[in-house]
Amino acid sequence: MTGVGSDLECAVDWLERDEVVAIPTETVYGLAGNALSETAVRKIFAVKQRPAHNPLIVHVAEIARVEAVAREIPRLAWRLLEAFSPGPLTLLLPRSAAVPDSITAGLPRVAVRIPAHPVALNLLHRLPFPLAAPSANPFGYISPTSPAHVLAQLEGKIPYILDGGDCATGIESTVVGFAGEQVVIHRLGALSAERLRAITGSMELRLQDEASPVGPGMLLQHYAPYTPLWLNRGLEQALEHWRPNEIGLIAFAAERDELPVENQVVLSRRRDLAEAARNLYKAMHRLDAMGLRVIVAERLPDQGIGQAVNDRLARAAARSISTDRSGE
Ligand code: TXA
Ligand code: MG
């Protein structure tokens, strides 16, 4: 039985007993457990069916607690923390001895972030340990942005979902590392490259290197619905293969006349990129549940958080290549 509610003490209870609980953050829901407990961390990997070589993000309550899990923190990291925490910024920092090997998958750095969600922060302040939490979806599937998404995917597998409403940002955090004093973006996310650059000046984009991924979670095969998703081929092409009621559309700002309205999700009528990001995973979840032949997605303007949305759409489309013989 999986309970759903806003009872903080209930979540505390389970977490103190090394159980895993779904928690809200501003980006997506997380599958949380005591980051300092091997037992809890093992359960996270098991519930998520995540390969052990894929490391987890550690969530802490405030900047002062970062040093509980990391050491030799670069000056630039402090500046980024001051500028963007709490918020959708994950820093890769040299790990302290307190962090179990399983969290970092044996890597020398630990991923740390301070989530900007009042419920998550209350919970973290209430607990004597930090929380390890990957996104609360089965490995490779779409991240959840509401308790209903978590329940649909993990019912019966976790004791409790702490309800914090719909996620305000809707896209995962930006993962940032350091090469000396140079900032390296490893995963595009809710904190835009432009905003980071305003603090750091220059920086490097080093997204999933498939030969030697910094974290295998950054491989392309991620964030995908079960229905094939097309990003680079348009609706016209889909209509050559299938009937309108077999096709879904994730549109940026307006529906298309060729498809039934119920097969379409408009991300933001006012062309607001933040609103579009907030609605992206909800759109994928809804259309994926319809059993369509294909979901066609429109690319957003490649700026601000639109860049991260395009990145997630590209990954979802890449996943379809292996399953879809018409091939994208
Ligand atoms: O917004 C978010 O970041 C959400 C919420 C729940 O905080 N969490 C999230 O976690 O997206 P997850 O596990 O789905 O993605 C974490 C990413 C993965 O790409 C992983 O490989 C990378 O961060 N990562 C984690 N620890 C790492 C490490 N020690 N070194 C390199 N990459 C790491
Ligand atoms: Mg994830």
Side-chain angles (χ1 to χ4, degrees), residues 235-236 238-239 242-251 255-265 287 292 294-296:
L235 188 54
E236 291 69 23
L239 285 163
W242 298 291
R243 293 196 301 272
N245 65 1
E246 297 175 311
I247 302 168
L249 179 71
I250 298 177
E255 281 99 355
R256 294 275 299 256
D257 296 334
E258 298 92 319
L259 300 186
V261 278
E262 63 273 19
N263 288 26
Q264 307 185 54
V265 180
L287 294 177
L292 301 165
V294 68
I295 299 169
V296 175

Side-chain angles (χ1 to χ4, degrees), residues 10-286:
C10 181
V12 167
D13 238 48
W14 286 116
L15 290 164
E16 284 183 333
R17 283 186 274 157
D18 282 345
E19 290 298 333
V20 299
V21 167
I23 63 160
T25 82
E26 82 281 29
T27 59
V28 300
Y29 272 72
L31 193 60
N34 179 353
L36 306 182
S37 154
E38 295 275 5
T39 309
V41 172
R42 202 173 329 112
K43 283 182 187 165
I44 294 173
F45 278 97
V47 170
K48 196 173 159 85
Q49 295 177 288
R50 182 173 201 152
H53 58 253
N54 198 331
L56 306 179
I57 297 177
V58 175
H59 298 70
V60 298
E62 57 195 352
I63 291 179
R65 297 200 195 178
V66 171
E67 280 173 301
V69 292
R71 58 191 174 79
E72 294 165 33
I73 300 167
R75 269 210 345 264
L76 196 48
W78 288 120
R79 283 179 56 208
L80 292 179
L81 283 168
E82 295 292 345
F84 301 120
S85 285
L89 168 70
T90 295
L91 295 180
L92 299 180
L93 299 169
R95 59 192 274 208
S96 79
V99 178
D101 270 352
S102 47
I103 294 244
T104 63
L107 294 168
R109 292 184 297 180
V110 63
V112 190
R113 99 173 184 96
I114 305 169
H117 191 294
V119 173
L121 288 175
N122 284 342
L123 179 64
L124 286 165
H125 277 290
R126 177 72 185 69
L127 292 165
F129 47 77
L131 289 174
S135 51
N137 49 285
F139 183 66
Y141 194 59
I142 311 163
S143 298
T145 56
S146 73
H149 293 161
V150 181
L151 196 63
Q153 299 177 21
L154 298 178
E155 177 150 32
K157 300 201 164 110
I158 52 175
Y160 197 62
I161 299 170
L162 184 58
D163 188 343
D166 286 354
C167 300
T169 305
I171 292 271
E172 294 84 350
S173 61
T174 304
V175 178
V176 168
F178 303 87
E181 284 287 313
Q182 172 80 349
V183 165
V184 181
I185 297 189
H186 293 284
R187 176 176 74 177
L188 292 167
L191 180 62
S192 70
E194 290 92 329
R195 292 193 62 202
L196 274 167
R197 200 176 287 116
I199 302 280
T200 63
S202 72
M203 65 195 184
E204 189 186 329
L205 210 60
R206 206 183 292 166
L207 303 182
Q208 77 292 323
D209 168 2
E210 299 204 35
S212 61
V214 64
M218 293 162 192
L219 290 175
L220 267 178
Q221 192 199 54
H222 238 76
Y223 313 100
Y226 295 116
T227 314
L229 186 137
W230 284 7
L231 182 60
N232 296 322
R233 285 171 295 170
L235 188 54
E236 291 69 23
Q237 231 183 314
L239 285 163
E240 288 168 16
H241 295 280
W242 298 291
R243 293 196 301 272
N245 65 1
E246 297 175 311
I247 302 168
L249 179 71
I250 298 177
F252 176 32
E255 281 99 355
R256 294 275 299 256
D257 296 334
E258 298 92 319
L259 300 186
V261 278
E262 63 273 19
N263 288 26
Q264 307 185 54
V265 180
V266 174
L267 295 181
S268 174
R269 292 192 189 281
R270 51 195 166 91
R271 297 179 171 274
D272 178 298
L273 296 177
E275 182 182 44
R278 181 157 61 243
N279 288 328
L280 176 71
Y281 289 146
K282 200 164 37 176
M284 285 192 192
H285 280 281
R286 181 163 96 62

